[in-house]
Amino acid sequence: MRTDNQIQKDVMEELSWEPFLNESEIGVAVKNGIVTLSGIVDTFSKKLSAEKAAKRVAGVRAVAEDIQVGVSPNYRKTDAEIAETVLNALKWNTTIPDNRIQVKVENGNVKLEGEVEWEYQRVNARRAIENITGVSSVINLISVKPKLKAMDIHQKINSAFHRNATIDADRIVVEVDGNKVILSGKVRSFAEKDDAERAAWSAPGILSVESKLNVEVPEMAFND
């Protein structure tokens, strides 16, 4: 059984393990296994990395993320400058069909729209711009064009689960409704839940993934 104090200690150590995160900038609070992250970082990618690090810790039931992205006045850019940098980043990434993606920037918030054939292209478009100075958040509205039949998608996802050493495929039920995947069942950790959801998103033609997976954690002793 893991207490909130133990989880908090592990989350803080996991943050310190990330080479480009400064754990002193991020506050960690835990109650009933729910982790709240707060503080200010200078890039959007650091905000995402902190959240991912917390999710990797055993016993974490959920993460409430309240980290703000604050760029020093010396490094602030106009929306036009950010948009130009974003377009160049998409152009130079060979995995992204940049001619199918539209970019809109408002107050440092970047919105991506358009259509691609694979989920990894959608994900890579977001990742390509996460480290750009001045970007406060990324709203990824890029859609994935359907490519396969539901039966083919179901088979590919199940095969991906069985290939993955961290996923217990026998405990996860996969349903395909058109271009939507529904996952249900139980997993042993937040990391396994993320891996299963990521594997489902990797299937070609998938437009949405509804996760009903429950993280099965040992009974815990909570602090008041």
Side-chain angles (χ1 to χ4, degrees), residues 110-172:
V110 180
K111 181 187 291 185
L112 301 176
E113 296 179 295
E115 188 179 85
V116 293
E117 295 181 358
W118 295 84
E119 173 62 16
Y120 79 84
Q121 294 173 323
R122 179 179 181 275
V123 172
N124 285 353
R126 188 200 72 226
R127 290 177 177 170
I129 65 175
E130 286 176 354
N131 283 310
I132 292 176
T133 301
V135 173
S136 299
S137 69
V138 179
I139 304 170
N140 193 352
L141 300 180
I142 298 172
S143 60
V144 180
K145 183 180 179 180
K147 295 293 289 184
L148 296 177
K149 296 179 181 179
M151 184 179 298
D152 295 329
I153 295 173
H154 187 282
Q155 182 179 356
K156 285 184 175 295
I157 293 174
N158 272 322
S159 296
F161 284 175
H162 281 91
R163 287 195 304 269
N164 195 314
T166 67
I167 298 175
D168 187 350
D170 295 332
R171 304 184 70 192
I172 300 177

Side-chain angles (χ1 to χ4, degrees), residues 16-169:
S16 68
W17 189 252
E18 290 289 334
F20 61 98
L21 284 181
N22 183 351
E23 70 273 16
S24 65
E25 297 176 342
I26 302 172
V28 179
V30 183
K31 185 175 182 180
N32 296 343
I34 299 174
V35 176
T36 300
L37 302 176
S38 59
I40 300 176
V41 294
D42 59 358
T43 65
F44 181 63
S45 61
K46 290 183 179 180
K47 176 178 178 177
L48 294 179
S49 293
E51 182 180 356
K52 291 177 182 177
K55 286 182 176 180
R56 290 196 296 265
V57 174
V60 172
R61 302 173 65 190
V63 176
E65 193 270 296
D66 194 30
I67 297 174
Q68 305 299 315
V69 179
V71 181
S72 168
N74 295 330
Y75 296 98
R76 281 184 184 153
K77 294 184 177 182
T78 66
D79 286 344
E81 290 173 325
I82 294 171
E84 182 179 0
T85 306
V86 167
L87 288 171
N88 285 332
L90 296 175
K91 179 180 179 180
W92 287 104
N93 191 312
T94 57
T95 68
I96 303 170
D98 61 289
N99 58 321
R100 301 184 186 179
I101 299 175
Q102 295 82 50
V103 176
K104 180 179 179 181
V105 184
E106 185 174 352
N107 298 325
N109 300 303
V110 180
K111 181 187 291 185
L112 301 176
E113 296 179 295
E115 188 179 85
V116 293
E117 295 181 358
W118 295 84
E119 173 62 16
Y120 79 84
Q121 294 173 323
R122 179 179 181 275
V123 172
N124 285 353
R126 188 200 72 226
R127 290 177 177 170
I129 65 175
E130 286 176 354
N131 283 310
I132 292 176
T133 301
V135 173
S136 299
S137 69
V138 179
I139 304 170
N140 193 352
L141 300 180
I142 298 172
S143 60
V144 180
K145 183 180 179 180
K147 295 293 289 184
L148 296 177
K149 296 179 181 179
M151 184 179 298
D152 295 329
I153 295 173
H154 187 282
Q155 182 179 356
K156 285 184 175 295
I157 293 174
N158 272 322
S159 296
F161 284 175
H162 281 91
R163 287 195 304 269
N164 195 314
T166 67
I167 298 175
D168 187 350

